[in-house]
């Protein structure tokens, strides 16, 4: 009898390859935003959020492009109340006011990402965001919070936490749907033959 091949799903990923130039792009985005340097059309907030695009091969996920996002719909009056309720209920108190916590991507930028993926044979495989405020019980802030898990639930994506409590020592870890017990090893590649550079100024 012929055997049926079982294809690996995003939940099966155990290793994620991230070319160093793309990691440098993420780190640069984070440092720029957290030090108050913004580009045209970008929300003036000390937080960085972006999408990771790539391809899966078995249990390895290859990140091929990174798309920093410019617009945050967090304070849009039509949707702010729902996010406020989630943050008030699930977020751990921090120095950042609750009404400034969280990121809601603009539909236009999500469509830009999908168009880019279609053009290059990629898929949106995850998203990244910063944790910049150290907590006594978690000084590195390099894992997902309960709110992160709630927002990523049933998304099928990997959540990349960029620890920015020390801007001279930025690190990244990845968790499937924000679950800290489902971490994949992020391996930085010395070269990036398959990496694609995205000019954010032309994708907004």
């Amino acid at each position: 009898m012929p055997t049926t091949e079982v294809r690996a799903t995003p939940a099966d990923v155990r290793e994620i390859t991230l070319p160093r130039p793309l990691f440098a792009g993420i780190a640069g985005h984070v440092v720029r935003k957290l030090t108050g340097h913004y580009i045209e059309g970008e929300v003036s907030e000390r937080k960085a959020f972006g999408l990771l695009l790539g391809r899966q091969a078995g249990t390895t996920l290859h990140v091929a492009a990174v798309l920093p996002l410019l617009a945050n719909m967090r304070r849009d009056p039509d949707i702010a109340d729902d996010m406020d309720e989630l943050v008030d209920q699930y977020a751990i108190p921090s120095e950042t006011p609750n009404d400034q916590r969280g990121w809601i991507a603009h539909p236009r930028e999500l469509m830009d990402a999908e168009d880019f993926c279609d053009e290059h044979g990629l898929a949106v495989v995850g998203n990244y965001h910063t944790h910049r405020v150290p907590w006594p019980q978690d000084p590195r802030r390099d894992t997902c919070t309960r709110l992160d898990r709630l927002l990523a639930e049933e998304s099928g994506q990997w959540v990349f936490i960029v620890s920015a409590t020390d801007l001279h020592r930025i690190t990244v870890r990845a968790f499937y749907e924000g679950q800290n017990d489902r971490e994949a090893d992020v391996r930085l590649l010395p070269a990036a033959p398959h990496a694609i550079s995205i000019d954010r100024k032309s994708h907004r």
Side-chain angles (χ1 to χ4, degrees), residues 11-41:
D12 297 320
V13 166
R14 296 293 176 267
E15 179 184 67
I16 298 172
T17 65
L18 180 62
R20 287 187 181 276
L22 296 186
F23 173 73
I26 293 173
H29 180 210
V30 169
V31 171
R32 182 174 59 73
K33 290 295 296 287
L34 266 58
T35 55
H37 296 83
Y38 311 109
I39 63 176
E40 181 183 353

Side-chain angles (χ1 to χ4, degrees), residues 69-191:
L69 297 186
L70 302 179
N72 185 3
M73 302 291 288
R74 172 67 177 90
R75 299 188 188 182
D76 186 305
D78 293 330
I79 53 181
D81 288 346
D82 290 338
M83 180 61 84
D84 286 341
E85 184 177 345
L86 288 174
V87 173
D88 290 342
Q89 183 173 357
Y90 294 103
I92 296 174
S94 182
E95 69 178 46
T96 305
N98 278 3
D99 63 356
Q100 297 178 22
R101 298 173 72 177
W103 188 285
I104 300 175
H106 195 291
R108 179 190 64 242
E109 292 195 285
L110 296 178
M111 288 188 291
D112 284 348
E114 292 294 342
D115 290 345
F116 189 91
C117 285
D118 290 343
E119 181 180 350
H120 294 278
L122 303 173
V124 178
V125 296
N127 59 79
Y128 69 87
H129 71 272
T130 50
H131 286 174
R132 66 176 181 84
V133 180
W135 291 340
Q137 74 279 16
D138 185 10
R140 284 295 301 159
R141 295 294 312 285
D142 58 356
T143 56
C144 295
T145 65
R146 180 171 58 168
L147 181 62
D148 292 334
R149 290 192 295 276
L150 177 69
L151 294 175
E153 189 175 15
E154 297 185 0
S155 66
Q157 292 191 8
W158 285 83
V159 177
F160 291 69
I161 300 297
V162 184
S163 171
T165 58
D166 180 353
L167 292 184
H168 298 287
R169 188 187 163 207
I170 291 177
T171 58
V172 61
R173 296 174 69 182
F175 307 90
Y176 181 68
E177 294 188 343
Q179 302 175 54
N180 290 330
D181 59 350
R182 303 183 73 176
E183 182 177 7
D185 180 44
V186 178
R187 183 164 61 93
L188 299 182
L189 299 181

